[in-house]
Amino acid sequence: PTEKTMARIASGPLQGFYRPDYEGRSLVNLMASLIRARGGDSPHAGLDVGWEDKLGKSRHVVLLVIDGLGLAQRRTYLDATASSAFFGLQESVSLSSVFPATTAAAVTSVMTGASPAEHGILGWFLNLHDLGVVSAILPTTSRTDVAIAGTDFPLGDYLAIPRPIESIQDRRIALTHRFILESRFSQAASQWSDTHAVESLAELESKLGKLVRSKEPSYFYAYWPGYDGLSHHYGPHSPEALRHLEIIDAMLLRLSDQFARHDTALLVTADHGFVTTPPENHIDLSRIDGLYDSLATLPSGDARAVSLYVRPARLDAVREQLSGYEESFSVVDGETLFGNGIFGPGEHHPALYGRVGDLVLLAKGTHALTAPLRGQSPHCMPGNHGGMTEPEMRIPLYFVQH
């Protein structure tokens, strides 16, 4: 397939940022192709690389999502390693993530086949305005670590996430950490024919190697969060993160050899990339005089894309106050994101508008934003993502079929 350059927005409020390529080279398009190739229905355009027919010919398809592995991070790894077992030898194409370029939004798209506009999961911190809480949606807690709803609350019905992936004809099997599989969000957002908990890369490799021996056509979704965790903690280009990629690289070569013997196609991609964010480039929104008192509720989103829900009488004053930070972040109307289709195609989730701020702060360069509770210290990490810059938006896609 021909390589495609991601379009940089040339003018307007989003100038300099990168829009996800929902027309044929995003995670949404990948899932549309995969769903149709395996006998299901998707309302979205497929990949523009012509792989749909091939994806339907293998008995099994394995999709492995390596959390955080953007093109920029892969480039650093390949420059640093003497030899690559898989990443540097196999052909790949570039995709864009979705917006926000963060796990909550991107992995929900991968698990379901829905765009962020359709599923409405827009960041680690999500404003559930009709429940009166800014949640950490993946662990389903409030900002003070209290469950967002009682155990009898029908969370799946409330979230109302469309799942076109359930139309495929194969068995659907998920493999990832137990705490993810058993989380209340995962159980509300997705349903699988079977699940397998894995706590290490060795266990992931072993279980996939055994599962693909089945004669029953299957789709395997495998998600690995280890590189993302190290990138947040140490930085995406740190020795610790690069060493972890080396281990993944070797594992992928062994898996692709095994899959060749069992009529199994392998797709490898990521949910988003990363930006290195040094401590001096973190901006504590709670320390901007009067900002929190001008908001109707706490900020939501991620460290590189923050939604502000501003009291109407304070909107002009907040715009003026934030204009002094133009080197660090852009201040964009939430309506601008809707008008430019930034959340993707499809019918909008019924709660979508309430989950996007009146103003959205998009980080520039190597800056990050923190929004601690009053009395708490800011949480500053050396690696972050969630915004609309190229390093966090562009990801690789490998397709290996023998």
Side-chain angles (χ1 to χ4, degrees):
T2 57
E3 192 48 271
K4 192 174 180 181
T5 303
M6 191 173 168
R8 188 171 184 263
I9 299 171
S11 62
L14 296 172
Q15 183 176 355
F17 291 106
Y18 288 79
R19 181 186 180 276
D21 185 355
Y22 296 119
E23 286 69 45
R25 286 285 180 98
S26 75
L27 286 172
V28 174
N29 308 111
L30 166 63
M31 296 313 300
S33 283
L34 197 156
I35 289 167
R36 280 195 288 270
R38 307 307 290 186
D41 297 308
S42 169
H44 302 307
L47 287 173
D48 62 8
V49 295
W51 289 349
E52 235 169 80
D53 287 344
K54 294 180 180 179
L55 283 168
K57 290 179 179 177
S58 296
R59 179 184 299 128
H60 307 306
V61 172
V62 174
L63 172 61
L64 172 58
V65 175
I66 302 169
D67 195 333
L69 180 60
L71 282 184
Q73 292 74 56
R74 184 190 65 173
R75 188 179 309 116
T76 298
Y77 166 70
L78 292 177
D79 288 345
T81 188
S83 62
S84 169
F86 181 91
F87 289 130
L89 298 179
Q90 295 290 342
E91 289 188 12
S92 66
V93 297
S94 64
L95 296 184
S96 69
S97 182
V98 298
F99 180 79
T102 191
T103 300
V107 164
T108 303
S109 288
V110 171
M111 287 195 307
T112 65
S115 72
E118 294 171 313
H119 62 61
I121 306 301
L122 304 179
W124 177 258
F125 293 122
L126 184 66
N127 181 28
L128 303 177
H129 56 290
D130 46 357
L131 292 185
V133 63
V134 173
S135 66
I137 188 62
L138 298 186
T140 59
T141 61
S142 72
R143 291 290 305 272
T144 55
D145 297 326
V146 177
I148 62 172
T151 55
D152 292 336
F153 182 76
L155 186 62
D157 293 338
Y158 167 75
L159 292 176
I161 295 173
R163 299 193 287 253
I165 199 165
E166 293 183 5
S167 67
I168 70 174
Q169 297 173 5
D170 299 342
R171 290 188 310 158
R172 293 173 292 106
I173 299 171
L175 300 92
T176 188
H177 279 322
R178 183 177 302 279
F179 77 88
I180 296 174
L181 291 174
E182 295 180 354
S183 74
R184 197 170 173 191
F185 174 80
S186 290
Q187 294 182 0
S190 60
Q191 294 182 352
W192 302 95
S193 309
D194 198 6
T195 60
H196 293 265
V198 293
E199 306 305 325
S200 67
L201 282 170
E203 189 174 11
L204 176 62
E205 179 179 356
S206 174
K207 287 195 174 182
L208 279 174
K210 292 175 182 176
L211 287 168
V212 297
R213 296 173 188 171
S214 169
K215 300 298 184 185
E216 185 177 357
S218 303
Y219 163 63
F220 298 97
Y221 163 65
Y223 166 76
W224 184 251
Y227 173 73
D228 177 84
L230 292 168
S231 296
H232 278 303
H233 191 73
Y234 298 105
H237 306 299
S238 64
E240 293 86 353
L242 294 177
R243 171 58 185 154
H244 193 68
L245 285 183
E246 186 177 13
I247 296 170
I248 294 173
D249 197 5
M251 178 194 75
L252 287 173
L253 176 63
R254 294 191 298 269
L255 280 176
S256 61
D257 288 344
Q258 287 189 64
F259 292 171
R261 298 192 292 271
H262 297 287
D263 195 13
T264 301
L266 171 63
L267 292 161
V268 181
T269 191
D271 51 351
H272 56 76
F274 259 94
V275 173
T276 298
T277 51
E280 63 272 18
N281 283 358
H282 283 73
I283 298 168
D284 183 349
L285 297 177
S286 72
R287 297 181 67 85
I288 298 178
D289 188 40
L291 177 61
Y292 271 27
D293 202 33
S294 299
L295 303 180
T297 191
L298 285 166
S300 67
D302 289 83
R304 300 265 306 166
V306 174
S307 273
L308 300 182
Y309 307 88
V310 186
R311 292 163 51 203
R314 296 291 298 162
L315 192 55
D316 289 341
V318 169
R319 286 186 201 275
E320 178 65 26
Q321 192 172 29
L322 297 179
S323 65
Y325 292 87
E326 61 183 12
E327 296 298 317
S328 304
F329 55 80
S330 289
V331 182
V332 179
D333 287 355
E335 288 295 328
T336 297
L337 300 179
F338 289 118
N340 285 272
I342 301 300
F343 298 108
E347 183 178 347
H348 284 187
H349 189 279
L352 185 69
Y353 282 94
R355 297 177 184 180
V356 178
D358 306 283
L359 302 178
V360 178
L361 312 183
L362 297 175
K364 297 178 179 179
T366 58
H367 289 87
L369 309 170
T370 66
L373 301 178
R374 200 179 309 277
Q376 287 187 343
S377 298
H379 185 48
C380 300
M381 298 185 292
N384 279 292
H385 53 79
M388 289 179 66
T389 66
E390 188 172 12
E392 53 204 324
M393 189 65 75
R394 294 192 74 190
I395 55 176
L397 172 63
Y398 292 88
F399 176 40
V400 182
Q401 184 180 47
H402 297 277

